[in-house]
Amino acid sequence: MAKKNLGEMSFLDHLEELRWLLVRSSVAIIIMAFLTYFVSDYLFDVIIFGPTRPDFFTYRFFCELSHQLGFVDSICIEELPFIIQNTEMEGQVNMFVWICILAGFVLSFPYILWQIWKFISPALYDKEKKNARVFIFFSSLLFFLGVLFGYFVVIPMSVNFVATFSVSSIVKNQFTLESYIGMVKTSILASGLFFELPIIIYFLTKLGLVTPTFLRKYWKYAVVIILIIAAIVTPPDVVSQLIVAIPMLIIYEASILISKIVYNKKLKENG
């Protein structure tokens, strides 16, 4: 049966399309999660627990950078004084499953975007429908850049901060596996989705829900929120906070620029 046009689809038809979108996306995530099982040793030992070791790439990079800037070993990390322990009988099993699902979601993200595009494409003009590849490419690129930013910047700085912070030398840091994996999941997903902001703003502007004037008006509030987020996830020093905040501010500025381009184009078409 041929697929109905947007004007011919009822509310239930839309729900049916949405249901199949979720089903196909879930199947893709499960398949990719299953495939990660075969590389689970590398996934956990090298990737997931990589930021818990002093020889992690980010720590070595900042150590070398400090030497070049003449700070000697001021920001070099010799050790991360904490251990990760499992306190639940099924804790490791649950964390194994959730990390595989997270990896499955990240790996299948371009396919999920394609499914989303197929769902919204009936509401687009013919010229806009031809931009599917561009939409999927740039959306996937931004998401993967966000994931890398979360993994190589947010997670190491968070780990370094909580590992070295202490209210007293009497207290020893022993983090639960659940809390560590939760931090990893949150950092990766939040960063990946935040980097999708330009794409979200693009569609919101096309729908007339936001304008560049609105985004510029609340720019100060956005800066404050970004700086607060950077202060929370980084050690209490200006350099670390700027390293996290600057890319986020660039993303927000890029979103304003995109909104301005789309808004001006709409004015010309309507004028």
Side-chain angles (χ1 to χ4, degrees):
M1 184 176 70
K3 188 175 179 179
K4 296 181 181 180
N5 294 325
L6 182 64
E8 301 174 351
M9 294 178 65
S10 66
F11 177 73
L12 292 178
D13 290 330
H14 283 294
L15 287 181
E16 181 68 10
E17 287 294 322
L18 179 60
R19 184 176 73 87
W20 280 107
L21 181 156
L22 296 175
V23 169
R24 287 189 289 264
S25 298
S26 299
V27 170
I29 293 173
I30 292 173
I31 291 174
M32 298 308 295
F34 177 75
L35 293 178
T36 60
Y37 168 80
F38 297 100
V39 292
S40 58
D41 290 342
Y42 181 85
L43 175 63
F44 281 90
D45 294 339
V46 177
I47 297 179
I48 299 301
F49 294 113
T52 65
R53 293 188 285 269
D55 62 348
F56 186 64
F57 170 81
T58 303
Y59 304 137
R60 289 188 286 107
F61 172 79
F62 284 113
C63 183
E64 294 174 3
L65 181 63
S66 69
H67 289 163
Q68 294 178 4
L69 295 176
F71 296 148
V72 194
D73 295 328
S74 58
I75 58 175
C76 290
I77 297 177
E78 299 294 334
E79 64 173 341
L80 294 170
F82 71 93
I83 64 171
I84 298 176
Q85 59 182 348
N86 175 47
T87 59
E88 302 290 336
M89 183 170 294
E90 299 176 353
Q92 296 198 55
V93 175
N94 292 334
M95 294 305 104
F96 179 87
V97 172
W98 278 113
I99 286 298
C100 286
I101 292 175
L102 173 64
F105 175 79
V106 172
L107 295 174
S108 61
F109 191 75
Y111 176 79
I112 296 173
L113 287 176
W114 181 53
Q115 290 296 318
I116 294 175
W117 182 266
K118 287 176 61 179
F119 179 74
I120 66 175
S121 60
L124 303 176
Y125 295 110
D126 291 336
K127 184 173 66 174
E128 295 173 326
K129 293 179 182 179
K130 297 177 182 179
N131 296 328
R133 292 182 180 179
V134 176
F135 165 76
I136 294 173
F137 173 78
F138 281 104
S139 297
S140 300
L141 177 63
L142 288 171
F143 178 76
F144 290 133
L145 287 175
V147 168
L148 292 175
F149 177 75
Y151 179 71
F152 285 106
V153 178
V154 178
I155 292 176
M157 289 187 172
S158 300
V159 169
N160 179 36
F161 175 65
V162 298
T164 55
F165 180 83
S166 176
V167 295
S168 171
S169 60
I170 298 176
V171 182
K172 305 300 180 182
N173 286 326
Q174 298 182 2
F175 306 134
T176 65
L177 176 63
E178 182 180 3
S179 65
Y180 176 77
I181 295 298
M183 184 269 296
V184 170
K185 291 190 299 181
T186 301
S187 300
I188 288 178
L189 288 179
S191 299
L193 295 177
F194 181 82
F195 272 57
E196 291 292 298
L197 184 62
I199 304 298
I200 297 172
I201 293 298
Y202 171 83
F203 282 104
L204 291 179
T205 304
K206 287 190 71 68
L207 294 173
L209 298 178
V210 298
T211 64
T213 304
F214 173 83
L215 295 174
R216 182 61 66 186
K217 177 181 178 181
Y218 290 97
W219 182 83
K220 295 180 180 178
Y221 300 100
V223 171
V224 171
I225 293 173
I226 289 173
L227 291 176
I228 291 175
I229 294 174
I232 292 174
V233 302
T234 61
D237 64 85
V238 177
V239 175
S240 299
Q241 292 172 11
L242 289 178
I243 290 172
V244 173
I246 288 176
M248 299 173 72
L249 290 172
I250 292 174
I251 290 294
Y252 188 80
E253 284 293 331
S255 301
I256 295 177
L257 178 61
I258 290 173
S259 178
K260 185 176 181 180
I261 293 173
V262 174
Y263 185 75
N264 291 337
K265 186 177 179 181
K266 284 179 64 178
L267 289 179
K268 290 180 180 180
E269 292 175 351
N270 297 332

